[in-house]
């Protein structure tokens, strides 16, 4: 009896059909792995981009507040005045960005793609929390001087 001879009575897959099915499954799993790896890399890049933007925002805000007194602190708005000049500055949320205005005219976009911003009192400063549209939540602290009562 020849065991290599194909019999029509036996049902099943040939070795070539099995290898072809194995190859197709291997390709599918490789594509899934590659897709997940690419998605993970994309998310990491997006996180790093927002992280850099956030730290630039905090550094700029801290630099802006060096020579100013806080006059109003709302839930999503800050008002400052220059120590030696009558200039007024505000940080306001407009649409999906935080804007810095000087004397109520014009604006500079400070932070983009935000969903919500909260400013809260802190010891000698302001706690800032920003919820971004991509789901990230960033928190920071900016030291700010209170306006003396005698002025």
């Amino acid at each position: 009896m020849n065991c290599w001879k194909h019999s029509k009575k036996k049902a099943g897959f040939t070795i070539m059909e099995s290898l072809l099915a194995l190859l197709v499954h291997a390709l599918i799993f490789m594509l899934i792995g590659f897709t997940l790896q690419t998605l993970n890399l994309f998310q990491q890049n997006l996180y790093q981009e927002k992280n850099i933007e956030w730290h630039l925002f905090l550094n700029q805000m801290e630099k802006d507040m060096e020579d100013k007194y806080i006059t109003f602190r709302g839930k999503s708005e800050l008002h400052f005045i220059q120590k030696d000049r009558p200039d007024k500055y505000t940080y306001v949320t407009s649409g999906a960005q935080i804007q810095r205005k000087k004397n109520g005219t014009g604006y500079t976009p400070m932070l983009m793609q935000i969903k919500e911003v909260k400013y809260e009192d802190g010891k000698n400063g302001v706690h800032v929390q920003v919820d971004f549209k991509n789901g990230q939540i960033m928190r920071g602290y900016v030291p700010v001087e209170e306006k003396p009562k005698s002025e």
Side-chain angles (χ1 to χ4, degrees):
M1 177 190 251
N2 189 351
C3 63
W4 297 106
K5 202 173 199 181
H6 183 63
S7 171
K8 293 188 178 194
K9 293 180 185 177
K10 293 183 180 179
F13 296 106
T14 65
I15 193 113
M16 288 302 287
E17 291 171 330
S18 298
L19 287 174
L20 184 62
L22 183 63
L23 178 67
V24 169
H25 281 89
L27 287 173
I28 289 172
F29 286 125
M30 282 177 38
L31 286 174
I32 289 172
F34 177 73
T35 303
L36 291 175
Q37 187 178 20
T38 303
L39 181 62
N40 187 27
L41 185 61
F42 176 74
Q43 287 176 335
Q44 286 176 355
N45 287 341
L46 185 62
Y47 176 79
Q48 287 175 347
E49 183 180 308
K50 282 295 173 200
N51 204 13
I52 291 169
E53 186 180 2
W54 171 249
H55 286 287
L56 287 172
F57 168 72
L58 285 179
N59 288 341
Q60 181 64 45
M61 190 175 185
E62 188 172 345
K63 180 72 174 155
D64 281 347
M65 303 310 150
E66 282 180 351
D67 59 346
K68 296 174 184 67
Y69 293 122
I70 188 165
T71 58
F72 173 77
R73 182 183 298 120
K75 185 177 178 182
S76 62
E77 192 171 330
L78 292 175
H79 295 232
F80 299 88
I81 58 168
Q82 193 90 21
K83 287 181 182 176
D84 56 353
R85 286 184 266 157
D87 293 333
K88 296 178 182 180
Y89 295 86
T90 57
Y91 276 73
V92 296
T93 304
S94 178
Q97 63 182 357
I98 297 175
Q99 298 175 347
R100 182 180 135 229
K101 296 182 179 185
K102 180 178 178 182
N103 294 323
T105 60
Y107 69 90
T108 304
M110 300 295 287
L111 199 58
M112 310 287 277
Q113 299 298 314
I114 65 165
K115 192 185 320 179
E116 182 181 18
V117 62
K118 294 178 189 171
Y119 301 107
E120 296 176 352
D121 288 337
K123 185 177 180 181
N124 299 323
V126 176
H127 291 279
V128 182
Q129 176 179 313
V130 174
D131 298 352
F132 287 95
K133 285 185 173 183
N134 68 359
Q136 280 183 280
I137 298 173
M138 300 285 206
R139 293 177 182 89
Y141 176 80
V142 179
V144 180
E145 289 184 51
E146 295 287 337
K147 184 177 178 182
K149 304 269 190 254
S150 62
E151 288 188 21

